[in-house]
C-alpha cells in the first residue's frame, strides 16, 4: 500500500537488500556471492542523473524508465510499431474536424496504488498540475497554447470517465497524441497529492521521492546514487507484474557490472562497454538484447563564449572528431555514428554524414576565425562510459589543432544543473526522445523562441545561447503541417541547416544493450527511456 503523505516509504530490510549488500561487500574486496531471489529482478545501472520522481518535473533518462514502469498515460505507442498508438488508460480518443478539440474516454474500473479510483478528474488534474507547476518538461503541454490562466478551461473532465483538450492551433493530430504519451502527461492520484500539498506546491515536494501512480510497478524506495526499488502494484487492473519487485543498484563502472553479472549477483547489466560485451560473449549463462533508441549523443558549444560563438570555430569542432575510430571502438555494438538530431526511426530522419576527422581543414577554419594558434576551453562531462572515453578521444584530436580541452568530470546531477543554467563552455551529453514524433527533437535542437536569460522555455538551443529566429519559424511550421510527405521534407531541410551552422557536434545514436542471466525471460528494451517495461519480465 502506498505510504501516507505523513510517512516516508519504509526502508527495506536486510533480507530484501541482500543483493545490494553483496555488491557493497564486493566493492570493499570481501568475498561474497548473493544469488538473486526468485521473485526479485536485480538491475545494475548508472542512475546518478535522477533528480526527482515527480512526472511533472522529472526530465532525465533514468527517471524516465522508472516513471514509465510506474505511471499510466491515456495512450502509449506500440513498441513493435512506434507510429501506432495503443490504449493505456483510455479506451477511445478522437479529434474534431477543426483540429482543435481532442476527446478521450477512459476505461472503467481502474485504480491507483492507493486504492483510489482513476477518473477523468484525475487526468485533468494531472495535466493542469503539470502546466501550473511549470517545471522543465511542461513545454510538452504548453506548446499547445496551455498556460496557468487557461488550462482549467482547456483541459476539462466532461464526465466521470470523459475528458476534452482544446489546443490553440490545428496541430498535426499525431503530434498532439504522441505528446500525451510523454511522462509529463502521466496520470497522478489527485486525492493523494491534494492531501500532500504544502503551500500550493501540488504535492511536488512530497512526490519527488514517493509515488502516486497506477502502473504495474510502484516505487517503494529511492536513495540517490545508491538504490531504487519498485514493487508489484496489486491494484493495477491489467496484466500484473510477473515478479514481486525490481531492485536497481547504482553501479557506474561497466567492469563491475560485468563481474557481478558473471557471478550471478545481479540479473541484468545495463551499462556495459563494448569490451565487456565481448568478454561475456562466450559465457553460456549470459544473454544479450539490444534495440536502436531515440537517444542521441552530442557535444555542444556555449555561444556566450566569445570564441566558441564564431561560425568558423563551430565548424572546426565538427572536423576535429574521429567519428570512424569512435564508431569502431568506443561505441561498437552500443551506438551508430550519426550527425543529425533526429534519430533513425523517426519521421524525417536523415542519414547525411558530411563530417570526418580533417585537422588541416579545421586549422584553416581556426585561422579564418582569428585563432590560428588555438585556445583553451573546458568541457563538463558525466563520469560514465562511453562518455568519458569519447571525451578523452576528442581531447586528443582537438590538441592536434591547438585547442587545449580541460575535462571537468562530475555526476549526472552536477553536470546537468550547470548545463541547464548555461554556465558551461562545452558540454557532452545525450538527449532522449520524449515522444515518438520528430518535433520532440526539433523543438529542443532547432527552436529557441527567446534567447534571454529569463526565458520561459529553455530547450537545448537556449542552453547553448544559440539565437535562431528563422529555424524556430521553420520548426513551428513543421509542427502544424498535416501532409506527411511535406512534413518529412521540412524536417530534412531543418536538419541540413542545423548540420551546417549549429553549435552542436552530433556524435551518435544509441543502441541500448543489456546483458542478462539466461534464466531471465521477457526482457525487451524500448526505443525511448520510458518504454523499457519490466513488469513483463520473469525468471525461470
Amino acid at each position: 500500500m502506498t505510504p501516507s503523505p505523513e510517512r516516508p516509504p519504509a526502508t527495506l530490510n536486510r533480507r530484501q537488500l541482500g543483493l545490494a549488500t553483496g555488491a557493497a561487500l564486493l566493492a570493499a574486496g570481501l568475498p561474497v556471492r548473493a544469488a538473486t531471489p526468485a521473485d526479485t529482478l536485480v538491475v545494475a545501472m548508472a542512475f546518478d542523473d535522477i533528480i526527482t520522481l515527480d512526472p511533472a518535473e522529472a526530465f532525465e533518462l533514468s527517471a524516465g524508465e522508472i516513471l514509465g514502469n510506474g505511471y499510466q498515460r491515456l495512450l502509449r505507442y506500440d513498441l513493435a510499431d512506434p507510429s501506432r498508438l495503443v490504449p493505456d488508460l483510455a479506451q477511445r480518443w478522437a479529434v474534431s474536424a477543426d483540429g482543435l478539440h481532442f476527446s478521450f474516454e477512459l476505461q472503467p474500473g481502474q485504480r491507483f496504488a492507493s486504492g483510489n479510483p482513476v477518473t477523468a478528474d484525475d487526468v485533468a488534474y494531472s495535466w493542469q498540475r503539470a502546466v501550473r507547476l511549470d517545471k522543465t518538461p511542461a513545454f510538452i503541454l504548453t506548446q499547445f497554447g496551455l498556460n496557468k490562466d487557461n488550462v482549467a478551461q482547456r483541459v476539462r473532465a466532461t464526465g466521470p470517465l470523459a475528458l476534452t483538450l482544446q489546443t490553440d492551433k490545428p496541430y498535426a493530430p499525431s503530434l498532439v497524441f504522441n505528446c500525451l504519451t510523454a511522462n509529463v502527461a502521466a496520470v497522478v492520484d489527485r486525492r493523494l497529492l491534494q492531501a500532500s500539498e504544502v503551500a500550493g506546491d501540488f504535492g511536488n515536494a512530497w512526490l519527488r521521492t514517493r509515488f502516486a501512480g497506477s502502473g504495474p510497478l510502484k516505487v517503494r524506495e529511492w536513495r540517490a546514487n545508491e538504490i531504487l526499488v519498485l514493487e508489484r502494484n496489486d491494484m493495477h487492473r491489467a496484466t500484473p507484474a510477473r515478479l514481486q519487485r525490481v531492485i536497481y543498484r547504482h553501479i557506474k563502472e561497466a567492469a563491475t557490472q560485468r563481474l557481478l553479472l558473471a557471478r550471478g549477483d545481479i540479473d541484468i547489466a545495463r551499462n556495459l562497454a563494448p569490451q565487456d560485451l565481448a568478454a561475456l560473449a562466450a559465457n553460456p549463462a549470459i544473454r544479450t538484447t539490444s534495440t536502436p533508441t531515440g537517444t542521441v549523443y552530442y557535444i555542444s558549444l556555449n555561444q556566450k563564449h566569445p570564441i566558441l560563438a564564431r561560425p568558423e570555430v563551430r565548424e572546426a569542432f565538427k572536423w576535429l572528431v574521429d567519428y570512424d575510430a569512435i564508431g569502431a571502438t568506443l561505441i561498437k555494438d552500443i551506438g551508430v555514428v550519426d550527425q543529425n538530431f533526429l534519430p533513425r526511426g523517426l519521421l524525417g530522419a536523415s542519414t547525411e554524414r558530411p563530417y570526418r576527422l580533417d585537422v588541416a581543414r579545421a586549422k584553416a577554419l581556426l585561422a579564418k576565425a582569428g585563432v590560428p594558434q588555438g585556445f583553451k576551453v573546458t568541457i563538463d562531462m558525466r563520469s560514465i562510459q562511453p562518455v568519458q572515453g569519447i571525451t578523452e578521444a576528442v581531447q586528443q584530436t582537438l590538441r592536434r589543432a591547438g585547442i587545449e580541452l580541460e575535462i571537468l568530470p562530475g555526476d549526472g546531477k552536477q553536470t546537468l544543473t550547470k548545463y541547464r543554467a548555461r554556465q558551461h563552455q562545452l558540454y557532452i551529453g545525450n538527449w532522449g526522445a520524449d515522444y515518438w514524433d520528430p518535433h520532440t527533437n526539433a523543438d529542443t535542437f532547432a527552436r529557441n523562441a527567446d534567447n534571454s536569460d529569463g526565458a520561459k522555455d529553455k530547450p537545448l538551443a537556449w542552453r547553448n545561447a544559440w539565437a535562431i529566429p528563422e529555424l524556430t519559424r521553420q520548426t513551428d511550421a513543421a509542427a502544424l503541417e498535416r501532409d506527411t510527405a511535406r512534413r518529412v521534407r521540412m524536417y530534412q531541410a531543418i536538419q541540413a541547416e542545423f548540420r551546417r551552422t549549429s553549435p552542436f557536434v552530433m556524435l551518435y545514436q544509441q543502441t541500448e544493450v543489456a546483458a542478462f542471466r539466461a534464466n531471465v525471460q521477457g526482457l525487451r528494451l524500448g526505443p525511448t527511456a520510458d518504454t523499457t517495461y519490466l513488469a513483463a519480465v520473469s525468471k525461470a
Side-chain angles (χ1 to χ4, degrees), residues 96-166:
S96 61
D98 63 6
L100 297 175
H101 298 84
F102 295 77
S103 59
F104 306 88
E105 182 180 339
L106 275 64
Q107 300 180 36
Q110 300 180 98
R111 292 189 175 275
F112 292 103
S114 66
N116 292 328
V118 179
T119 69
D121 283 328
D122 291 291
V123 182
Y125 170 84
S126 300
W127 297 356
Q128 292 171 10
R129 175 181 182 271
V131 170
R132 287 168 172 161
L133 281 173
D134 200 22
K135 301 293 185 179
T136 303
F139 73 91
I140 296 173
L141 299 177
T142 60
Q143 67 182 316
F144 300 122
L146 304 178
N147 57 50
K148 295 178 182 180
D149 296 327
N150 68 19
V151 69
Q153 289 73 44
R154 293 195 173 186
V155 177
R156 296 184 301 110
T158 57
L161 298 175
L163 179 85
T164 61
L165 163 66
Q166 180 183 347

Side-chain angles (χ1 to χ4, degrees), residues 13 43 58 78 93 115 118 131 192 225 299 356 362 364 372 444 446 453 458 513 526:
N13 61 42
V43 183
D78 186 347
W93 55 93
V118 179
V131 170
L192 188 59
N225 295 358
I299 294 172
R356 64 185 187 281
T444 197
D453 287 341
K458 299 178 179 180
V513 181

Side-chain angles (χ1 to χ4, degrees), residues 405-485:
L405 182 67
E406 179 185 357
I407 299 173
L408 305 178
D411 67 22
K413 292 187 292 293
Q414 292 170 334
T415 56
L416 270 175
T417 299
K418 184 176 180 181
Y419 182 44
R420 288 171 174 171
R422 305 210 279 195
Q423 295 175 351
H424 63 294
Q425 293 182 6
L426 267 68
Y427 173 82
I428 181 169
N430 55 18
W431 178 267
D434 293 306
Y435 46 90
W436 208 250
D437 185 276
H439 190 65
T440 185
N441 280 25
D443 189 36
T444 197
F445 282 103
R447 187 177 186 277
N448 186 8
D450 179 0
N451 197 43
S452 67
D453 287 341
K456 178 179 181 297
D457 295 328
K458 299 178 179 180
L460 296 186
W462 178 90
R463 293 183 196 178
N464 292 283
W466 189 35
I468 43 172
E470 177 55 24
L471 267 185
T472 298
R473 185 196 66 76
Q474 293 179 37
T475 299
D476 287 342
L480 292 169
E481 181 55 55
R482 293 190 167 202
D483 182 278
T484 300

Side-chain angles (χ1 to χ4, degrees), residues 490-510:
M490 294 171 78
Y491 283 116
Q492 290 180 342
I494 292 169
Q495 287 177 99
E497 177 65 17
F498 175 90
R499 287 192 301 269
R500 189 177 67 84
T501 63
S502 82
F504 294 90
V505 182
M506 304 305 296
L507 299 171
Y508 73 98
Q509 178 180 349
Q510 181 184 27

Side-chain angles (χ1 to χ4, degrees), residues 154-233:
R154 293 195 173 186
V155 177
R156 296 184 301 110
T158 57
L161 298 175
L163 179 85
T164 61
L165 163 66
Q166 180 183 347
T167 61
D168 62 334
K169 298 176 184 177
Y171 299 92
S174 60
L175 170 60
V176 178
F177 286 130
N178 278 316
C179 283
L180 297 180
T181 69
N183 277 324
V184 72
V187 180
V188 297
D189 189 331
R190 173 177 52 92
R191 295 180 185 180
L192 188 59
L193 289 183
Q194 286 176 339
S196 308
E197 186 172 324
V198 176
D201 75 341
F202 295 94
N204 173 246
W206 182 84
L207 194 54
R208 283 177 179 170
T209 57
R210 296 174 177 87
F211 180 71
S214 60
L217 294 166
K218 61 183 179 180
V219 176
R220 168 68 181 268
E221 182 174 1
W222 168 45
R223 297 203 298 270
N225 295 358
E226 185 178 349
I227 192 171
L228 195 150
V229 181
L230 302 178
E231 285 190 342
R232 180 191 294 137
N233 173 17

